[in-house]
Amino acid sequence: MRGQREGHTDVVVVGSGPNGLAAAVTCARAGLGVTVLEAQPTAGGGARTLDLGLADGVVHDICSAVHPMAWASPFFRAFDLRARGVQLLTPEVSFAQPLPAGRAGIAYRDLARTVEGLGEDGPAWHALVGRRSEHWQDVVRVALGDKRSIPPGLLPRGLPAAAGFGLAVLEQGTRAWDARFRGDVAPALLTGVAAHAITPMPSLASAGTALLLASLGHAGAGWAVPRGGSRAITDALIADLEAHGGQVLTDHRVRSAADLPHAHAYLFDTTPRTLVAILGERLPARSRRALERFRYGDGAAKVDFVLSGPVPWAASEVARAGTVHVGGTRAQMAEAEAAVAAGRHAEHPMTLVSDPSVVDPSRAVGGLRPLWAYTHVPSGSDVDVTQAVTDQIERFAPGFRDVVVASRCVPAAHLAHHNENYVGGDISAGAATIAQMFARPTLRPDPYATGADGVYLCSASTPPGPGVHGLGGWFAAQRALRDVFGITQAPSLQP
């Protein structure tokens, strides 16, 4: 008999990040009893918004803050966040790149306006990024697939777009990346997006990240910001799960198999290391060794600021952006990422900044507003980077220090205290290497299978990788439904 009974459920999901909740929703909508176990006091993993006590009423996004994939992901398109009351607000400027001497690259939501602003490199931007944005659905099918099969709907219509995307990745992922552009603004604008991969540049992984995210900046809702913060997405997922009989238990840490209730299927929204630590000898030796070889990447350190006003960017148009990549020129960013990969703190670290109040006035309370910032650091760094981040922003926004009211730093080494998937500060839950693009987390034909019957991995350590898209959970859940419960038709996700 399917459903929930004391001490027994059909499906247990370990971890309540977007992937774990996507898996839980999928299984619950198939009529199964689902229990989600979360170690933290709040659910959501990388999609949480909390009051950190820095200023009355001002809340901060703990990890993710800007969500181009919340509308582009096939899972969320089917789930329909907007119909569930989640307001995805679209900034006029998706992302911006401040440069020395008060200049900046501006990626407007409007492609034509972006092309015009880039001057002589505008046509090159259109050819490289604009064409991808015009065929964004095919790009998403390729970039956000399971990396083991041909994505549904891609052939034959989407093959030219997929081939074009692949060729563009090869160009921007190698030393040929400078051949297309004449000036320094357009390449810097694209490289700031590539830096989301937290890996040396150029590389195929960083190029794929850049071209996917940059193209989404000119499509759909652009780089959307949820009204009220990232928790709006988490709340919508939990509401749907509970409406279909599922439950989320917070403050419920799973240290070993003994902490798991009896179930027919288990889905782990965790890293391979955590899965092995919990199940240990229950995993086949070969699978266990393969999972233990999974590589984690470089780290990020988080700084949450409270400001008394907008960031005083030297290039005023930057103030319209929902996301700002603070790293300078392409060469400067590549140098900074190379230093981190070599185990050093960069003199001018790659820093990502978002002021949600630019598009969501409700986030400003009593004249104060949150500012979200990450900087890239060596894995396991315990350095408080508040001063380094402040200095980096100040380079392009003179007077920034004067609007800082309060701040809090979480060093890379401490990020795992808030989310165990962020090993050493690796917010991608796995190194962004070419090998781990296609063998994530192992070389198994089914990347979500673990070798143990009824046990699946569904975190960002599985395809398609990091991001708030829910696809790792959705893909893994469909396999569990088929293999364990004989349910071959994926349930509808519509409200």
Side-chain angles (χ1 to χ4, degrees), residues 6 36 74 120 125 139-140 207 211 271 289 319 335 362 365 450-451:
E6 185 175 354
V36 180
E120 64 177 353
W125 183 271
V139 171
V140 164
L211 291 166
T271 67
R289 289 193 299 269
E335 180 182 358
S362 72
V365 179
T450 64

Side-chain angles (χ1 to χ4, degrees), residues 13-17 19-21 36-39 45 267-270 421 458:
V13 178
V14 180
S16 68
N19 282 310
L21 291 176
V36 180
L37 305 178
E38 171 56 53
L267 293 102
F268 284 78
D269 184 8
T270 70
N421 287 3
C458 68

Side-chain angles (χ1 to χ4, degrees), residues 66 68 90-99 103-119 121-122 125-126 129-130 133 181 185-194 196 210-224 315-325 358:
V66 181
T90 303
E92 181 182 3
V93 175
S94 288
F95 54 93
Q97 184 76 34
L99 290 163
R103 300 175 300 134
I106 307 295
Y108 296 96
R109 165 66 183 78
D110 185 331
L111 174 61
R113 190 176 177 187
T114 304
V115 168
E116 181 181 0
L118 291 174
D121 276 333
W125 183 271
H126 189 281
V129 178
S133 69
F181 299 110
V185 177
L189 187 61
L190 187 61
T191 304
V193 186
H196 283 256
L211 291 166
L212 169 64
L213 294 180
S215 66
L216 294 179
H218 301 304
W223 284 25
S316 60
E317 199 68 3
V318 174
R320 298 175 181 270
T323 302
V324 183
H325 303 126
V358 167

Side-chain angles (χ1 to χ4, degrees), residues 132 139 142-144 147 165-166 168-174 190 193-194 196-197 199 202-216 434 437:
R132 311 286 88 78
V139 171
V142 173
L144 298 185
K147 303 298 190 292
F165 178 72
V169 168
L170 286 173
E171 174 196 303
Q172 289 299 305
T174 64
L190 187 61
V193 186
H196 283 256
T199 190
S203 70
L204 296 179
S206 65
T209 298
L211 291 166
L212 169 64
L213 294 180
S215 66
L216 294 179
I434 186 61
M437 284 175 66

Side-chain angles (χ1 to χ4, degrees), residues 18-24 26-27 73-76 140-152 267 440 446-449 456-459 462-465 469-483 487 490-491 493:
N19 282 310
L21 291 176
T26 304
C27 292
S73 155
F75 170 78
F76 280 122
V140 164
R141 288 187 181 100
V142 173
L144 298 185
D146 65 9
K147 303 298 190 292
R148 301 295 194 278
S149 61
I150 297 174
L267 293 102
R440 190 179 184 98
D446 183 347
Y448 311 99
Y456 302 84
L457 195 63
C458 68
S459 67
T462 66
H469 44 61
L471 291 171
W474 195 38
F475 293 153
Q478 290 180 66
R479 286 160 170 79
L481 291 177
R482 179 194 65 204
D483 298 343
I487 300 172
L493 298 174

Side-chain angles (χ1 to χ4, degrees), residues 119-270:
E120 64 177 353
D121 276 333
W125 183 271
H126 189 281
L128 183 64
V129 178
R131 288 178 184 170
R132 311 286 88 78
S133 69
E134 291 163 359
H135 300 280
W136 66 267
Q137 288 182 307
D138 293 321
V139 171
V140 164
R141 288 187 181 100
V142 173
L144 298 185
D146 65 9
K147 303 298 190 292
R148 301 295 194 278
S149 61
I150 297 174
L154 183 64
L155 298 179
R157 181 188 59 82
L159 188 57
F165 178 72
L167 291 173
V169 168
L170 286 173
E171 174 196 303
Q172 289 299 305
T174 64
R175 288 298 172 185
W177 71 339
D178 282 327
R180 182 178 292 266
F181 299 110
R182 298 178 181 178
D184 66 343
V185 177
L189 187 61
L190 187 61
T191 304
V193 186
H196 283 256
I198 317 182
T199 190
M201 301 181 289
S203 70
L204 296 179
S206 65
T209 298
L211 291 166
L212 169 64
L213 294 180
S215 66
L216 294 179
H218 301 304
W223 284 25
V225 175
R227 184 181 295 278
S230 296
R231 67 183 176 196
I233 296 173
T234 295
D235 289 348
L237 288 165
I238 292 176
D240 188 82
L241 172 64
E242 292 177 344
H244 289 84
Q247 61 180 338
V248 179
L249 304 180
T250 55
D251 282 317
H252 193 114
R253 185 173 300 277
V254 177
R255 294 183 175 86
S256 71
D259 297 323
L260 293 169
H262 179 74
H264 298 295
Y266 299 89
L267 293 102
F268 284 78
D269 184 8
T270 70

